[in-house]
Amino acid sequence: AVTNDKENLYLCIKATEEQTQIKILRAGMQIWIDTTGKNEHRVGILFPMASMKQRFDQTTTAPKESNTEENTEERKPKKKQDIIGLRNTFLKGYKEMQLSGFQPPINGMNPIQSTYGIVVSVNWDTIGIMTYEAVIPFKTFYKDAVSLSDSLKCMGISIVLNALPSPSGGGGH
């Protein structure tokens, strides 16, 4: 869902499938805002970040000394407690987002509750549905507040789920 008031843009994304949730956590997700209406990636939030994958994997799995196929299969979460462990590790450890295209000096690494009013969060409900929420003040990328005339302009929102990296050492032909 995407909505706004005159000062903020609000996004709420729900991921119900565990595989999608794992992809978001391990490969990262990007939110792009285009104020030109030309479907361009102008203003972006990267959270979670793909660079978190290595730290995330190190805290949730222990690599085995075996061939790549077995190691890859072993690292896939198979049980409910494995999924819960991944969630808990994520919630405890990932407190930064990467911002780009915002008005200076906002860009770069920021806490997920930035001093500029940009807030992102990821959490799960009691039945395991992941909710990603973002509050983005218009003043950080557009203007202080939107007016009625702005409702006539086309603004685009893109959500990009990054691809999971292929297993290291895997030789594709």
Side-chain angles (χ1 to χ4, degrees):
V2 178
T3 191
N4 68 281
D5 56 24
K6 68 180 188 175
E7 295 174 355
N8 296 303
L9 178 65
Y10 303 94
L11 294 119
C12 180
I13 301 162
K14 294 197 179 255
T16 58
E17 297 175 352
E18 287 178 351
Q19 280 204 262
T20 302
Q21 295 175 18
I22 291 166
K23 185 176 180 181
I24 291 168
L25 295 177
R26 289 196 171 156
M29 186 167 78
Q30 301 170 41
I31 305 293
W32 291 100
I33 305 165
D34 174 28
T35 58
T36 68
K38 297 179 181 175
N39 215 14
E40 298 175 0
H41 291 174
R42 295 283 182 153
V43 176
I45 298 174
L46 177 56
F47 180 80
M49 295 178 287
S51 63
M52 293 178 178
K53 181 197 178 311
Q54 185 178 10
R55 284 189 293 161
F56 189 70
D57 283 349
Q58 288 171 352
T59 59
T60 59
T61 60
K64 288 181 136 189
E65 296 297 323
S66 64
N67 74 35
T68 303
E69 271 185 42
E70 289 174 7
N71 194 15
T72 302
E73 285 302 311
E74 187 67 32
R75 292 175 60 190
K76 289 181 183 176
K78 294 177 183 170
K79 301 178 203 160
K80 196 62 154 174
Q81 64 265 28
D82 292 339
I83 301 298
I84 292 168
L86 292 173
R87 292 175 188 165
N88 290 339
T89 298
F90 175 82
L91 291 171
K92 289 176 189 172
Y94 303 104
K95 307 294 182 202
E96 291 183 312
M97 62 184 158
Q98 175 75 38
L99 303 177
S100 61
F102 286 86
Q103 295 182 12
I106 299 172
N107 298 299
M109 295 298 292
N110 279 267
I112 58 174
Q113 294 188 0
S114 80
T115 57
Y116 306 106
I118 302 167
V119 178
V120 296
S121 68
V122 172
N123 213 334
W124 287 263
D125 65 15
T126 57
I127 59 171
I129 295 174
M130 173 194 267
T131 303
Y132 178 109
E133 296 177 301
V135 177
I136 309 162
F138 284 111
K139 68 182 178 184
T140 62
F141 69 94
Y142 188 52
K143 60 184 187 177
D144 285 347
V146 293
S147 62
L148 190 54
S149 65
D150 290 310
S151 65
L152 301 173
K153 297 178 183 173
C154 185
M155 197 178 283
I157 308 284
S158 298
I159 301 164
V160 179
L161 288 179
N162 296 329
L164 286 169
S166 58
S168 59
H173 291 43

